[in-house]
Structures are given as C-alpha cells and as structure tokens.
Amino acid sequence: ADSRKIRSRKSAMDAEQVWQLAARALIANFARSQDVIKSACQNTRKDFQPDQQLRSSAFTLNDGGNGYPFVSCNYRGLITDNLIIAHEFSHSVQIVASKGRFVAPVIRETCAFIGELSLLSFSKTQNPELFTDLQQSWNSDNKMYLQEYSEILRSALNQPLVPYSYRWNYALARICSMKCQEQLTSQETWALFEGKLSLKELFSLLRL
C-alpha cells in the first residue's frame, strides 16, 4: 500500500482512548509491573494539541512539574498517531520505572518501540481491523528507520568528526525492539525499562 495513504488513514479513537489502550497493551506484556504502568498512565501530564510553532514534534520530558513525565504529541486523529502515542507513553513508563537511573538513548528508544510493538500485539487479538492498519503503518515507518536512518548512522561511522545526531539511535533501537520481542522474556525486557541493563549487556543478550 502507498505509504502516504497509510499515514493519512483516520483513527476511530481520540487521543485519551489511545493513551489508555497503550497502557493496557503494556500491562498485557508486563503484568507484574502493572502498578508502575498504571501510575505513569494516570499521572503523566499530556498535551495532545500543542502549539505547532513551539512543539512541532512529539517528545517526552522527565518531569512535567508534578514529579512525573510530560508528553507533548500533536494528535491529528490518524492511525500513525496511535503508534506515536504508544511510543511516547512508553518513554513515560521507562522514566517512571527507572527511578532516575541513567538510561542510554538506544535503550530509551528501544523501550519506546517496544511500546509500539505491544500495541500491535495487543490489537491483534483485541481489534484485528486496527491491527491491520497499525501493522501497515509500522512497516511503512520501518522504511524510514531501517533504511534512511541506518544510512545516516552508517555515514556518520565513517566520519569521526561529524556532530552527534540523536537520529543515530533510532535504527539500532528499532532492531533491538524487534529482537527483544523475539528473544527475551518479559522480565528481561522490563529490566530495560528499569535501567538495569547497559547497552553492552543488551547487545550480549540479543547476540548482536
């Protein structure tokens, strides 16, 4: 399917419904940690209609002023926005779960992509029609993360003096998230959210 058509498909849910669905999806994956997930869900400050001149891209801050994260995401009512909310929700959960521990950017983004994959797997059984749309959107995003961003990282590795770009983390994180889903137990994966695994330890677990 044409990637532009996929990305323009409308969602049947509003932003808060997607936020709650993302929480249910993570709880389905990490039932033992549902208290942490519910706490992040209930207490994270959110802005789903930010000023686009000030906040054009989705992001999550460690503290929104109440001791919990702050999420900004422009919800346009599109299927692709569902994955974006799941992504930012998982950032919030990771921040709460890690309790101030340093978490490497690749691991942070791995956790966020695990949130997207959790939404996919949860929807597969709960809402097959939504799953089909989400799967197509995920596959469309893969072209950006695994091709475009991989090339950016590959080019940077050949230029030692090139300025750091956060985008370098996405291709590795995308691959790690898929391998986590295939190879790790839920307990091992949750250790990423808690900040208890270093990048070296994660790569060792995944045999990378």
Side-chain angles (χ1 to χ4, degrees):
D2 184 276
S3 61
R4 287 173 295 182
K5 290 182 179 179
I6 292 170
R7 299 184 72 82
S8 64
R9 285 180 183 161
K10 290 291 185 178
S11 171
M13 295 178 287
D14 63 30
E16 186 59 36
Q17 288 173 320
V18 178
W19 181 263
Q20 295 294 330
L21 184 63
R24 289 169 59 201
L26 270 190
I27 289 171
N29 264 3
F30 307 108
R32 293 181 179 179
S33 305
Q34 61 179 297
D35 289 347
V36 174
I37 297 169
K38 288 178 180 178
S39 180
C41 178
Q42 293 167 3
N43 295 295
T44 296
R45 291 183 57 219
K46 310 179 293 288
D47 184 356
F48 291 130
Q49 296 294 327
D51 184 330
Q52 288 302 283
Q53 292 185 335
L54 298 176
R55 304 171 182 168
S56 59
S57 299
F59 64 87
T60 299
L61 299 179
N62 281 19
D63 191 343
N66 63 343
Y68 280 82
F70 169 78
V71 164
S72 174
C73 173
N74 180 34
Y75 187 76
R76 301 157 296 175
L78 304 179
I79 288 294
T80 188
D81 294 338
N82 293 359
L83 291 175
I84 293 172
I85 286 181
H87 187 101
E88 299 305 324
F89 175 69
S90 293
H91 273 313
S92 175
V93 171
Q94 178 267 302
I95 291 167
V96 174
S98 59
K99 299 178 180 178
R101 295 185 185 91
F102 171 77
V103 177
V106 169
I107 292 181
R108 290 203 302 265
E109 294 305 327
T110 297
C111 290
F113 285 136
I114 286 169
E116 295 188 36
L117 287 170
S118 295
L119 182 61
L120 277 167
S121 60
F122 188 72
S123 300
K124 190 172 185 177
T125 57
Q126 301 295 318
N127 189 335
E129 185 177 348
L130 174 62
F131 167 74
T132 298
D133 287 340
L134 290 173
Q135 184 72 63
Q136 290 180 342
S137 186
W138 169 273
N139 290 341
S140 176
D141 287 345
N142 271 344
K143 295 179 181 178
M144 173 179 67
Y145 290 119
L146 301 182
Q147 294 179 21
E148 178 185 341
Y149 282 29
S150 287
E151 183 53 41
I152 290 172
L153 175 59
R154 190 178 297 111
S155 176
L157 291 173
N158 292 322
Q159 302 177 62
L161 299 182
V162 69
Y164 170 75
S165 170
Y166 192 85
R167 289 186 297 174
W168 297 350
N169 299 292
Y170 289 113
L172 288 172
R174 193 76 164 185
I175 293 168
C176 286
S177 68
M178 292 185 284
K179 286 188 173 292
C180 283
Q181 189 181 51
E182 295 168 359
Q183 300 176 21
L184 301 189
T185 65
S186 61
Q187 186 174 356
E188 288 171 329
T189 303
W190 185 251
L192 291 175
F193 283 81
E194 293 181 314
K196 292 181 178 178
L197 284 179
S198 68
L199 194 55
K200 183 178 180 180
E201 289 169 332
L202 174 60
F203 285 176
S204 178
L205 276 175
L206 298 178
R207 303 178 183 85
L208 292 175

